[in-house]
Amino acid sequence: MGSNDTNRNENLAMLVNKYSDMVLRLALSHLGNLADAQDVCQEVYIKLFKHQNPFNDSEHEKAWIIRVTINTCIDVSRSPWKRWFSPLEKIPLPNAHKESMEIVIFVLKLPRKYRLVIHLYYYEGYKTAEIAELLNLKESTVRTQLKRAKELLKEKIMGGFDDDH
């Protein structure tokens, strides 16, 4: 193995370590299923390994990984072979605080489009314009989805999940 191969492998290992939690959380937010989220992680790492062009900077790198993760999640959710194995309540979450875990469970029960904008806005720290670019949406659409997601979360947190109030 040459010096370039060693450097490339070390760089790939660094990128996987740097973004593994983010990729898994994003895939889990999108799919709501740990088994599928783990499959997406593997696919993203394979695509990262095959990616030949250098990234302009760390923001370009992160945006590329998020975009690939979202596209891979879309592919998985459209697959006719897709199955849901884990109920949302049984997903192992890294948070130790009960209140935080409850909020994450509420977020995971939102419709997919709302889970994505909530995750990117609150957990990854993106602004609405950046989310719009990542998801190929208008910024006004992202703001509307964020507003509706917050309203749904507030409603769910205050009133529970029963439809008969």
Side-chain angles (χ1 to χ4, degrees):
M1 197 188 276
S3 173
N4 284 343
D5 287 340
T6 303
N7 288 341
R8 187 172 187 325
N9 288 341
E10 287 174 3
N11 188 40
L12 285 169
M14 185 222 34
L15 288 176
V16 169
N17 286 333
K18 182 177 180 181
Y19 293 111
S20 62
D21 286 345
M22 179 193 74
V23 170
L24 182 62
R25 283 192 317 264
L26 185 58
L28 193 53
S29 292
H30 192 281
L31 298 168
N33 176 306
L34 185 60
D36 288 339
Q38 290 170 329
D39 289 346
V40 165
C41 289
Q42 290 177 354
E43 284 296 315
V44 170
Y45 303 145
I46 289 168
K47 290 174 184 176
L48 183 60
F49 180 76
K50 291 179 179 179
H51 182 74
Q52 296 296 317
N53 301 327
F55 296 107
N56 299 337
D57 54 32
S58 62
E59 280 304 309
H60 177 232
E61 174 185 278
K62 184 177 180 182
W64 185 91
I65 290 171
I66 287 174
R67 185 74 246 159
V68 169
T69 303
I70 290 169
N71 288 341
T72 306
C73 287
I74 290 169
D75 291 345
V76 166
S77 62
R78 288 182 180 161
S79 167
W81 303 103
K82 171 142 181 29
R83 294 186 187 131
W84 298 92
F85 291 109
S86 301
L88 292 174
E89 291 80 12
K90 297 200 177 181
I91 294 171
L93 299 169
N95 258 330
H97 302 347
K98 185 172 176 21
E99 292 127 17
S100 297
M101 285 181 65
E102 287 174 0
I103 300 237
V104 171
I105 293 295
F106 288 139
V107 170
L108 288 172
K109 288 186 178 183
L110 290 173
R112 179 176 291 128
K113 64 183 177 181
Y114 298 149
R115 290 192 309 253
L116 278 175
V117 295
I118 288 284
H119 180 85
L120 291 171
Y121 187 80
Y122 288 106
Y123 294 100
E124 301 302 333
Y126 280 96
K127 294 177 175 45
T128 54
E130 295 167 322
I131 296 169
E133 189 175 324
L134 284 168
L135 300 178
N136 294 324
L137 297 171
K138 292 181 182 177
E139 187 178 355
S140 60
T141 302
V142 171
R143 283 195 302 268
T144 300
Q145 287 180 350
L146 201 52
K147 181 177 184 264
R148 288 182 182 158
K150 288 192 261 186
E151 289 169 356
L152 278 173
L153 278 175
K154 182 178 178 183
E155 183 181 305
K156 300 295 183 191
I157 290 169
M158 301 304 270
F161 281 93
D162 293 329
D163 289 331
D164 51 13
H165 294 190

